[in-house]
Amino acid sequence: MTTPKPPSFLKNDAKKKFIDIYEMLSKEGKWKQGDDIALSALCANYQHWIEAEKAIKKNGDLCFTTETGYRQQIPEVSIANNAMKSMLSFIREFALTPKERIKLKETILKDDENSDHEMEDMIQK
């Protein structure tokens, strides 16, 4: 299997994250064909989150006042929140946190306990 390249639309930080995660998953034997699409989406959301957080910091306030005097949340807050939610779903999908790895391991062990080894032996032969 060839090493996937990060999508060209990603900036350097997100490309580095793509390569780091790919290498980790590959080393652990968890990289499957087609994972590059989900990893690209994870890294794109990572990029959006970083950019939105930088814009929030630069703005210095989470809200602005409209011409009519109404206080409104800056759009970057929504962008950051949505990117974070999307990132977290991909993080769970790839089991990239210690908690998710434990849950994945428990699921595998539970499935192994419930399997019918005699039937599996007959099917494999």
Side-chain angles (χ1 to χ4, degrees):
M1 189 177 330
T2 61
T3 303
K5 293 188 180 198
S8 59
F9 62 83
L10 293 178
K11 292 184 178 177
N12 286 338
D13 287 346
K15 284 181 181 181
K16 183 179 180 330
K17 192 61 66 181
F18 182 99
I19 292 165
D20 290 347
I21 294 170
Y22 164 76
E23 288 175 352
M24 182 190 73
L25 293 172
S26 184
K27 186 184 292 185
E28 293 177 3
K30 295 179 181 168
W31 184 260
K32 303 292 182 215
Q33 189 173 3
D35 282 348
D36 56 323
I37 296 168
L39 184 54
S40 296
L42 167 59
C43 293
N45 279 288
Y46 173 75
Q47 179 173 294
H48 297 154
W49 175 64
I50 294 295
E51 290 175 354
E53 290 295 340
K54 285 178 182 176
I56 291 168
K57 185 176 180 180
K58 184 179 178 183
N59 189 54
D61 192 358
L62 298 179
C63 296
F64 68 96
T65 304
T66 65
E67 291 176 3
T68 59
Y70 177 73
R71 293 273 296 160
Q72 187 171 335
Q73 181 177 287
I74 62 173
E76 290 83 359
V77 172
S78 250
I79 293 167
N81 288 339
N82 289 334
M84 178 66 78
K85 286 177 190 174
S86 293
M87 268 192 328
L88 289 175
S89 70
F90 287 111
I91 286 169
R92 284 188 202 102
E93 187 72 26
F94 284 117
L96 294 177
T97 64
K99 181 179 178 181
E100 292 301 323
R101 287 190 192 108
I102 290 169
K103 283 174 28 181
L104 180 63
K105 190 174 187 178
E106 288 172 354
T107 301
I108 291 169
L109 290 174
K110 184 179 176 186
D111 287 346
D112 194 45
E113 289 172 2
N114 294 333
S115 64
D116 186 345
H117 296 291
E118 285 182 33
M119 182 63 83
E120 287 178 14
D121 287 343
M122 289 190 310
I123 292 171
Q124 290 175 358
K125 293 178 182 177

